[in-house]
Amino acid sequence: MNRALAVTAACLAVLAATPASGHATESKTTSAPRVTMRQEKNYQVEVDNFSNQAFDEVALAFTRNSIPVTQILHQFNVPASSVIIFDLGPCSDIKQYAVSGLVSGERQFTTGDVDADPVGCDDIITIRNTAAPEMQRKAR
């Protein structure tokens, strides 16, 4: 038991004397310039369902500059007075999108094609108790 305590104490002493880099005798006098990588912001479309209508599905179809195929994201069972957010990926890669709300397989609303804003990267679609949804662009 005493031997185990002595070994533990010796290991702790060595760790305390060793610099964080793990090299006890090496010291660096010059340092490399610090490089910070900034990840590009993702394009987000927020759908605010401020209507009294629940949707079986809210679908967002979008195209990217890098991929010529339309991609579709879905959110199922969207209740009235709710907010959902679609994350489309890197801002500069989003070309266009359209949002639709469906009930029993029938489209209740659509935004039509919306050109993506490569600067703002955040759009808000507001659904109210009217015939057509209202769309706003909002920088976050």
Side-chain angles (χ1 to χ4, degrees), residues 43-45 59-73 86-99 110-118 123 125 135 137:
Y43 203 105
Q44 293 187 338
V45 177
L60 185 144
F62 69 104
T63 55
R64 297 179 183 273
N65 294 312
S66 63
I67 302 171
V69 177
T70 299
Q71 296 176 294
I72 301 175
L73 300 175
F86 292 100
D87 189 321
L88 308 183
C91 234
S92 63
D93 196 26
I94 306 305
K95 182 176 182 180
Q96 198 173 53
Y97 69 87
V99 178
T110 185
T111 60
D113 291 338
V114 178
D115 291 329
D117 176 10
D123 291 343
I125 308 300
M135 191 187 93
R137 290 195 187 265

Side-chain angles (χ1 to χ4, degrees), residues 75-95:
Q75 178 67 46
F76 297 99
N77 302 318
V78 178
S81 302
S82 63
V83 174
I84 56 175
I85 298 175
F86 292 100
D87 189 321
L88 308 183
C91 234
S92 63
D93 196 26
I94 306 305
K95 182 176 182 180

Side-chain angles (χ1 to χ4, degrees), residues 6-79:
V7 169
T8 303
C11 288
L12 289 174
V14 168
L15 286 174
T18 304
S21 67
H23 302 285
T25 58
E26 182 180 341
S27 66
K28 295 182 179 180
T29 56
T30 60
S31 61
R34 175 171 266 183
V35 176
T36 22
M37 297 288 290
R38 189 171 193 175
Q39 189 173 2
E40 182 178 1
K41 182 178 176 182
N42 280 0
Y43 203 105
Q44 293 187 338
V45 177
E46 178 179 303
V47 179
D48 298 345
N49 182 10
F50 293 152
S51 72
N52 57 9
Q53 170 72 56
F55 294 95
D56 296 335
E57 175 183 1
V58 173
L60 185 144
F62 69 104
T63 55
R64 297 179 183 273
N65 294 312
S66 63
I67 302 171
V69 177
T70 299
Q71 296 176 294
I72 301 175
L73 300 175
H74 306 270
Q75 178 67 46
F76 297 99
N77 302 318
V78 178

Side-chain angles (χ1 to χ4, degrees), residues 2 6 48 75 100 102 126:
N2 286 341
D48 298 345
Q75 178 67 46
S100 297
L102 300 116
T126 303

